[in-house]
Amino acid sequence: MDHLFSPYQIKGLQLKNRVVMPPMCQYSVTNKDGIATDWHYVHYVSRAIGGASLIIIEMTDVEPDGRITDYDLGLWSDEHVPALKRIIDACHQHGAKVGIQIAHAGRKAQDAKEPVAPSAIPFDEKSKTPRALTTEEVKEMVEKFRLAAQRAIKAGVDVIELHGAHGYLIHQFTSAFTNKRTDEYGQELTKFGKEVIKAVKGEMPEDMPLIIRISGREYVEGGYGIDEAIEFSREFQKAGVDMFHISAGGEGPIAAEGRPGTHVAYQVPLARAIKQALNVPVIAVGRLDEPGLANSVIGNEDADLVAVGRAMLRNPYWALEAATILHKEILIPRQYDRGFPRR
Ligand SMILES: Cc1cc2nc3c(=O)[nH]c(=O)nc-3n(C[C@H](O)[C@H](O)[C@H](O)COP(=O)(O)O)c2cc1C
């Protein structure tokens, strides 16, 4: 029987359980140089000690103006590699596998003097109006993603996640709401995403899986729904994506009727729909804090992995505690053994 603490394998990636730490920006690069700090080291390594099988490092950007803020992580230079490698090596020592979310914020780059995007449409009335990338610049952007992936692999990641959700650059190209281009990247909304997928895949070892995080539905007035998400995901799958990480929204102001996240497991139906339609492994995320609930998502085959975000901010040892509550086997670090009495 599959459950939250059963092992899982996808291509060459072997996970000891189904608990994932999803990417969560820390806005903690105090030097504004994109280089990971001691905060990041403690933050990630604690969750490795805490029993998560896969840790996905936060949104890490392919160029300085691709950051949401100047305090975000970067992968636009070889200088970013050693600090990430130190974190990844330590997570490995504590039995976790590590991925990184490679991204560009596009029009949501708050600190960029002039953010770039598929089209010159601001996020809302308070945001800067972005400059539309030229066709040549879009092609250069694909190359920036490729180089970032190359550096991530040098840093020792086990898996790469592309950020195709939450209204960041890849999502901005995929969505008819933000992509009003008339060139080839507007005629085919998935073209940019597919080129990034193929470029990144070209850098990855054969047996390393590629994950893409998508928004399974949009929350803006007239935004796309799950049926459209299935269709573009099918294109991404054909281009080389091995696993989908299903979130939602983030593309713009939320429509009056669409207040998301008011129920536990609110994004699980989206994950299940993608899994069933494409026969592809998925990660479910979103208010899955309660161990019995997270376990049922695996047991009911709604998803293959479960990501636990905010609950892991509160408790880095969420996985150790969940396994204890569910009476499942997990290796408790010797030093912490007395904190987790077997019931
Ligand atoms: C502080 C914080 C930072 C986040 N940063 C990112 C990010 O870098 N990339 C991303 O895809 N999602 C990000 N998210 C969203 C989480 O990955 C997750 O999808 C969301 O919190 C819902 O899951 P939860 O209910 O388990 O927290 C962030 C969430 C939080 C709370």
Side-chain angles (χ1 to χ4, degrees), residues 41-172:
Y41 182 87
V42 172
H43 173 67
Y44 291 113
V45 179
S46 304
R47 275 74 191 179
I49 292 172
S53 69
L54 175 62
I55 289 168
I56 305 178
I57 295 175
E58 69 205 69
M59 173 159 173
T60 300
D61 304 295
V62 304
E63 66 175 357
D65 280 352
R67 292 173 291 181
I68 304 173
T69 76
D70 289 348
Y71 299 96
D72 299 358
L73 290 181
L75 261 177
W76 61 82
S77 145
D78 291 344
E79 284 170 24
H80 295 118
V81 173
L84 286 172
K85 187 170 188 312
R86 176 169 169 256
I87 293 172
I88 294 166
D89 288 349
C91 288
H92 284 161
Q93 272 177 29
H94 294 288
K97 298 291 164 67
V98 185
I100 193 162
Q101 188 184 51
I102 297 179
H104 190 295
R107 69 176 189 162
K108 289 175 84 173
Q110 295 163 17
D111 290 349
K113 269 208 188 75
E114 187 184 40
V116 294
S119 303
I121 310 167
F123 181 83
D124 59 21
E125 65 279 7
K126 284 182 263 148
S127 320
K128 292 173 196 156
T129 300
R131 180 177 67 77
L133 291 159
T134 65
T135 307
E136 198 44 47
E137 284 172 333
V138 178
K139 293 180 197 298
E140 285 163 19
M141 192 63 82
V142 174
E143 184 63 10
K144 287 174 190 171
F145 272 86
R146 187 183 72 73
L147 290 171
Q150 192 183 73
R151 295 186 186 107
I153 289 160
K154 268 195 214 142
V157 295
D158 304 287
V159 60
I160 286 177
E161 175 169 294
L162 289 173
H163 201 342
H166 302 168
Y168 296 108
L169 192 66
I170 295 177
H171 185 175
Q172 286 164 33

Side-chain angles (χ1 to χ4, degrees), residues 22-25 58-59 101 161 163 166 213 247 266 285-289 307-311 313:
M24 287 182 285
C25 281
E58 69 205 69
M59 173 159 173
Q101 188 184 51
E161 175 169 294
H163 201 342
H166 302 168
R213 192 172 233 208
S247 189
Y266 64 105
V285 67
R287 296 197 60 196
L288 295 168
D289 311 7
V308 177
R310 287 163 292 181
L313 292 185

Side-chain angles (χ1 to χ4, degrees), residues 79-284:
E79 284 170 24
H80 295 118
V81 173
L84 286 172
K85 187 170 188 312
R86 176 169 169 256
I87 293 172
I88 294 166
D89 288 349
C91 288
H92 284 161
Q93 272 177 29
H94 294 288
K97 298 291 164 67
V98 185
I100 193 162
Q101 188 184 51
I102 297 179
H104 190 295
R107 69 176 189 162
K108 289 175 84 173
Q110 295 163 17
D111 290 349
K113 269 208 188 75
E114 187 184 40
V116 294
S119 303
I121 310 167
F123 181 83
D124 59 21
E125 65 279 7
K126 284 182 263 148
S127 320
K128 292 173 196 156
T129 300
R131 180 177 67 77
L133 291 159
T134 65
T135 307
E136 198 44 47
E137 284 172 333
V138 178
K139 293 180 197 298
E140 285 163 19
M141 192 63 82
V142 174
E143 184 63 10
K144 287 174 190 171
F145 272 86
R146 187 183 72 73
L147 290 171
Q150 192 183 73
R151 295 186 186 107
I153 289 160
K154 268 195 214 142
V157 295
D158 304 287
V159 60
I160 286 177
E161 175 169 294
L162 289 173
H163 201 342
H166 302 168
Y168 296 108
L169 192 66
I170 295 177
H171 185 175
Q172 286 164 33
F173 272 94
T174 314
S175 173
F177 173 69
T178 37
N179 184 346
K180 307 284 185 194
R181 300 176 70 88
T182 50
D183 69 355
E184 59 201 279
Y185 293 99
Q187 279 149 15
E188 195 189 350
L189 299 182
T190 53
K191 187 174 169 66
F192 176 68
K194 287 192 292 194
E195 287 188 1
V196 169
I197 290 163
K198 286 182 187 155
V200 165
K201 266 258 143 136
E203 294 295 327
M204 293 166 60
E206 265 300 295
D207 67 344
M208 183 187 285
L210 176 66
I211 303 172
I212 191 165
R213 192 172 233 208
I214 62 152
S215 288
R217 57 166 290 198
E218 293 185 320
Y219 288 116
V220 287
E221 193 85 56
Y224 68 68
I226 185 64
D227 293 338
E228 290 92 333
I230 288 170
E231 287 321 309
F232 72 69
S233 295
R234 201 186 300 283
E235 298 281 308
F236 289 164
Q237 187 183 20
K238 278 193 216 136
V241 169
D242 299 293
M243 185 175 227
F244 287 81
H245 192 170
I246 311 300
S247 189
E251 67 288 340
I254 296 167
E257 78 276 9
R259 191 87 232 136
T262 44
H263 299 285
V264 296
Y266 64 105
Q267 292 172 154
V268 169
L270 303 171
R272 185 197 306 128
I274 299 277
K275 181 175 171 62
Q276 286 176 353
L278 304 184
N279 191 22
V280 73
V282 298
I283 309 175

